[in-house]
Amino acid sequence: MPKRAFITGITGQDGSYLAELLLAKGYEVHGLVRRSSSFNRGRIDPIYLNAEAGERLFLHYGDMTDGVSLVNLILEIRPDEVYNLAAQSHVRVSFEMPEYTASADGIGTIRLLEAIRAAKLDCRFYQASTSEMFGATPPPQAEDTIFYPRSPYAAAKLYAHWMTVNYREAYDMYAVSGILFNHESPRRGETFVTRKITKAVAAIKAGVQDVLMLGNIDAVRDWGYAKEYVEGMWRMLQADEPSDYVLATGVGTTVREFVEMSFEHADLDWHDYVMFDQRYERPTEVDALIGDPSKARDQLGWKAETGVRELARLMVDADVAALAEGFGTQPR
Ligand code: NAP
Ligand code: F7E
């Protein structure tokens, strides 16, 4: 019998890479998808092109804000591993939609944990926690660093994080949180800053965009490659004992530097194109996030391999190729 995994957020950046990884490992993969009036399967549809893997992939309608759908799906699928990646994941948007973000990202995690507990399933649970929970606490940030969330998104994720710890301690569940620092890829959502930049570079190079409007370019982030981070998630669920881990590169880079690297790769001078727009600033900013991934390295043997410059290059190359192929905004 193949192992059975249930992934919420399977249509997202990480969900799609994780589904590919688990299918390659021989898992049967079940994914939660929400009904949308327009196409939202661009990242996972290609999996069906591989007939063998496609046969082991199953998609189910549901929503993190709808507890009944989660209870029914857990009972029906009876997974060995659950990866809770679904979230309203945009920090800026969470200021516009704090209540929804709390429901989907915070309470949604409880809905799922309770569904597992009620089903008396002996399954392992992964929670997608985030470096945003450190917020205003200065770097370097590790598993024992104090949390100081600076957005409705971060506060909702912190609630889910502590509830995951609580279910582990109260009910003896194998429930862990991966505290992941920013990770990007050609499949990154187009309104996150790295992808916004690399997509703009491709469009400017092709002569179909004139300017790139950005907010605070002094912010420092620790950017890694998403494809490598999903391997770390899987390793967390294979450990003998449940524990929480930071995944990061350990290197901080400003948004300004990421802009420079991306434009440089296309032989463009960013000063000619980038303009400041206050609309992209946040009511409270997180100035600097730089992770200390020592625990994951020592205990899981996990290490980020792709550096930020290489990441910027591969994202620019992918956006240039996508534009040339006429795929426009389709993540590949
Ligand atoms: P993403 O690309 O924004 O994907 C989010 C996923 O959640 C999508 O599949 C989305 O579905 C789904 N979703 C959103 N609201 C939902 C709801 N109410 N019910 C069911 N599904 C819902 O995010 P990502 O970058 O892959 O990140 C994966 C997870 O890790 C998220 O929880 C994020 O908060 C967390 N995280 C990300 C990073 C990072 O740097 N990428 C770092 C730390 C933590 P649709 O396709 O229908 O929108
Ligand atoms: O912003 C600044 C912005 O939206 C990065 C999510 O995956 O990672 C992500 O959250 C920085 C911030 O990511 C623009 O102010 C400047 O300082 O790409 P971002 P994020 O907020 O770090 C964490 C770990 C998650 O968990 C989240 O789910 O860039 N910035 N100008 C801009 N940001 C955006 N989006 N757009 C701009 O125009």
Side-chain angles (χ1 to χ4, degrees):
M1 275 284 280
K3 265 192 172 178
R4 203 174 293 152
F6 178 46
I7 305 175
T8 71
I10 195 167
T11 55
Q13 171 187 256
D14 293 5
S16 62
Y17 283 123
L18 181 64
E20 286 171 354
L21 178 82
L22 297 180
L23 288 165
K25 289 184 184 295
Y27 279 65
E28 180 179 302
V29 174
H30 294 257
L32 180 75
V33 291
R34 34 180 199 170
R35 197 266 160 183
S36 112
S37 62
S38 57
F39 187 70
N40 67 349
R41 310 275 171 88
R43 297 179 177 102
I44 49 170
D45 251 13
I47 294 174
Y48 289 109
L49 298 177
N50 175 334
E52 200 271 321
E55 267 183 20
R56 284 181 286 113
L57 176 64
F58 302 89
L59 302 179
H60 308 263
Y61 281 109
D63 199 294
M64 295 307 291
T65 60
D66 177 17
V68 172
S69 66
L70 299 178
V71 168
N72 289 338
L73 285 174
I74 289 293
L75 283 172
E76 181 190 329
I77 299 165
R78 303 193 73 77
D80 301 296
E81 295 175 8
V82 173
Y83 296 85
N84 183 30
L85 310 185
Q88 188 304 92
S89 70
H90 203 284
V91 174
R92 180 72 185 81
V93 171
S94 78
F95 287 96
E96 324 283 338
M97 303 173 71
E99 184 185 336
Y100 174 75
T101 304
S103 179
D105 301 11
I107 308 288
T109 303
I110 297 304
R111 295 185 183 107
L112 194 50
L113 283 166
E114 271 300 294
I116 295 167
R117 194 171 77 87
K120 298 190 169 40
L121 269 192
D122 183 20
C123 81
R124 298 190 165 196
F125 178 84
Y126 174 88
Q127 168 60 19
S129 285
T130 165
S131 52
E132 281 292 307
M133 300 186 308
F134 297 120
T137 308
Q141 293 108 352
E143 292 80 4
D144 54 1
T145 300
I146 207 156
F147 297 121
Y148 190 155
R150 293 265 284 175
S151 64
Y153 167 76
K157 282 285 188 177
L158 187 53
Y159 173 73
H161 178 83
W162 279 119
M163 289 309 285
T164 302
V165 173
N166 187 247
Y167 273 59
R168 179 164 77 220
E169 295 176 354
Y171 307 120
D172 206 21
M173 278 175 63
Y174 192 112
V176 307
S177 283
I179 308 173
L180 271 53
F181 283 63
N182 299 52
H183 47 279
E184 321 290 310
S185 73
R187 296 184 194 174
R188 184 56 143 153
E190 291 160 19
T191 59
F192 296 96
V193 80
T194 54
R195 184 80 199 289
K196 183 173 169 181
I197 294 164
T198 61
K199 198 165 163 272
V201 167
I204 289 168
K205 190 72 181 171
V208 295
Q209 184 171 331
D210 298 328
V211 289
L212 168 61
M213 313 295 279
L214 292 175
N216 173 23
I217 61 172
D218 294 321
V220 174
R221 291 292 183 273
D222 177 333
W223 281 296
Y225 185 23
K227 209 172 176 175
E228 295 165 3
Y229 284 51
V230 299
E231 167 78 25
M233 296 177 188
W234 176 75
R235 288 192 191 194
M236 285 181 215
L237 289 200
Q238 313 313 309
D240 291 339
E241 294 299 325
S243 190
D244 304 328
Y245 297 88
V246 160
L247 298 186
T249 69
V251 177
T253 305
T254 60
V255 175
R256 182 193 310 275
E257 287 165 333
F258 193 92
V259 166
E260 261 167 21
M261 291 172 194
S262 305
F263 277 79
E264 213 175 271
H265 184 54
D267 295 322
L268 296 169
D269 183 348
W270 69 276
H271 297 95
D272 297 337
Y273 305 98
V274 175
M275 293 174 71
F276 172 70
D277 189 332
Q278 200 186 356
R279 282 177 303 173
Y280 297 111
E281 286 196 316
R282 289 143 193 214
T284 39
E285 177 62 286
V286 169
D287 294 327
L289 294 173
I290 307 171
D292 172 1
S294 311
K295 182 178 170 187
R297 185 196 57 214
D298 297 345
Q299 295 185 15
L300 301 176
W302 181 89
K303 190 174 175 297
E305 301 292 345
T306 305
V308 66
R309 188 172 290 275
E310 195 184 339
L311 179 66
R313 285 189 189 141
L314 75 84
M315 288 176 68
V316 168
D317 288 344
D319 276 320
V320 167
L323 201 63
E325 286 170 34
F327 286 104
T329 61
Q330 185 86 344
R332 307 274 291 152

